[in-house]
Amino acid sequence: MTKIIQISDPHIVPKGQLAYGRVDTAAPLKSCVETINRMLPNIGPVDMAIVAGDLTDFGTAEEYQLFRDIMEPLGIPYCAIPGNHDNVAAMRTGFADQKWMPNSGPINWTEEFEDLALVGLDSNVEGEAHGHLTDATLDYLQQKLAALQQKPVIVAIHHPPILTGIEKMDIQNLRDSRKLQTILSEYHGELKLVCGHIHRNIIASFGSVICQIAPGTSHAVSMDLRVGAPNCLTKEPGAFLLHEIRGGILTHCIPIGQFDGPHLFYPDKS
Ligand SMILES: [Fe+2]
Ligand SMILES: [Fe+2]
């Protein structure tokens, strides 16, 4: 029973700085690592974690080093895909020692487990907020899916190809996604698409597959579905996802932090 944790959008900034002048992003990622490590005996074993993009806010070498320093105590290995806030070249250099990091081209990789495969795809468009998958990336996905035959698959892309109703994010989603939809929908096994970018837990259909967007670790894009709503963040509690094979692919959303409990519902009955 493969289990994968998904962390998304940590937006690490240089030490001592706040993202957008108001969000401490390092402390919530540290808290996320602590939460996962504390929970592992109850929810594990977990095979690996994926960080679904926007590891850093500005894509600098200093930020990638700080990200790695904060993630270092995590009790499971992790892979990462770039988001729009990342810089593919700097990220490649920052993780050059990791076997999942390709030497050149888009940061696409595949990890195979006994009953699940995880495919990470690079949707970064340099200097742009929206996402796009190049023909090379779509070919990579197509070839990987063909080789996996009917094995359950999670495909991870930072930018969601769906519309969420949050207007300022929908204009920077994954563009030109028709071919992706065809490739995913034609897969013969179970397949789930997981994303980041919106910093909210959102679930939708994309063709014949389920698309789930992960919450962020430190701040959410504000919940405002009005036309013309301003582009805002809200410091909602951070969370991460746990994907596991339990019959099919099942996903839990777990808040970051330490909370009162667990308490027995009926202590007298033990
Ligand atoms: Fe983000
Ligand atoms: Fe993003």
Side-chain angles (χ1 to χ4, degrees), residues 9 11 20 53-54 84-85 158 197-199 219:
D9 293 86
H11 285 259
Y20 314 104
D54 289 354
N84 50 301
H85 283 262
H158 177 70
H197 194 50
I198 315 294
H199 300 222
H219 58 282

Side-chain angles (χ1 to χ4, degrees), residues 17-268:
Q17 291 186 25
L18 300 175
Y20 314 104
R22 63 175 72 247
V23 184
D24 178 355
T25 53
L29 181 59
K30 191 166 175 275
S31 180
C32 180
V33 170
E34 288 167 358
T35 303
I36 293 168
N37 285 345
R38 192 175 58 245
M39 294 188 82
L40 277 176
N42 290 10
I43 65 174
V46 175
D47 296 270
M48 73 175 296
I50 172 175
V51 185
D54 289 354
L55 281 60
T56 66
D57 211 34
F58 301 107
T60 65
E62 179 190 355
E63 291 170 323
Y64 287 113
Q65 188 55 55
L66 182 54
F67 172 86
R68 288 193 64 161
D69 291 346
I70 297 170
M71 290 288 283
E72 213 275 322
L74 185 68
I76 47 175
Y78 70 91
C79 296
I81 51 173
N84 50 301
H85 283 262
D86 290 302
N87 177 283
V88 170
M91 186 169 160
R92 190 191 317 285
T93 304
F95 294 92
D97 61 334
Q98 299 296 303
K99 66 173 176 41
W100 51 268
M101 178 58 78
N103 294 326
S104 61
I107 300 178
N108 302 324
W109 47 257
T110 302
E111 295 286 326
E112 264 206 72
F113 305 92
E114 196 183 335
D115 54 7
L116 179 73
L118 180 59
V119 180
L121 300 180
D122 181 345
S123 58
N124 174 282
V125 182
E126 197 173 344
E128 301 288 344
H130 72 270
H132 173 79
L133 299 177
T134 63
D135 288 342
T137 293
L138 288 169
D139 288 347
Y140 173 88
L141 173 64
Q142 216 157 8
Q143 283 168 22
K144 287 293 172 189
L145 291 181
L148 290 167
Q149 300 182 342
Q150 294 183 24
K151 193 172 199 169
V153 184
I154 291 176
V155 175
I157 306 171
H158 177 70
H159 294 83
I162 57 164
L163 297 177
T164 64
I166 301 174
E167 191 181 80
K168 295 292 189 296
M169 297 307 292
D170 287 345
I171 57 174
Q172 48 172 281
N173 74 345
L174 186 78
R175 300 203 180 146
D176 320 307
S177 59
R178 186 170 295 193
K179 189 166 179 198
L180 173 71
Q181 184 172 319
T182 304
I183 293 170
L184 297 183
S185 296
E186 286 179 350
Y187 186 62
H188 291 300
E190 187 177 3
L191 189 152
K192 182 164 184 169
L193 174 63
V194 300
C195 302
H197 194 50
I198 315 294
H199 300 222
R200 308 198 64 85
N201 186 20
I202 300 170
I203 301 161
S205 299
F206 177 58
S208 64
V209 305
I210 294 170
C211 172
Q212 183 161 11
I213 302 170
T217 50
S218 60
H219 58 282
V221 174
S222 300
M223 187 61 193
D224 192 337
L225 303 177
R226 293 173 298 170
V227 174
N231 193 15
C232 292
L233 66 86
T234 300
K235 295 185 190 179
E236 295 178 22
F240 61 91
L241 301 180
L242 172 66
H243 307 292
E244 61 170 339
I245 294 292
R246 193 173 289 277
I249 300 171
L250 180 145
T251 300
H252 307 267
C253 183
I254 302 170
I256 293 168
Q258 195 155 15
F259 304 95
D260 186 13
H263 301 291
L264 286 171
F265 279 107
Y266 306 105
D268 295 342

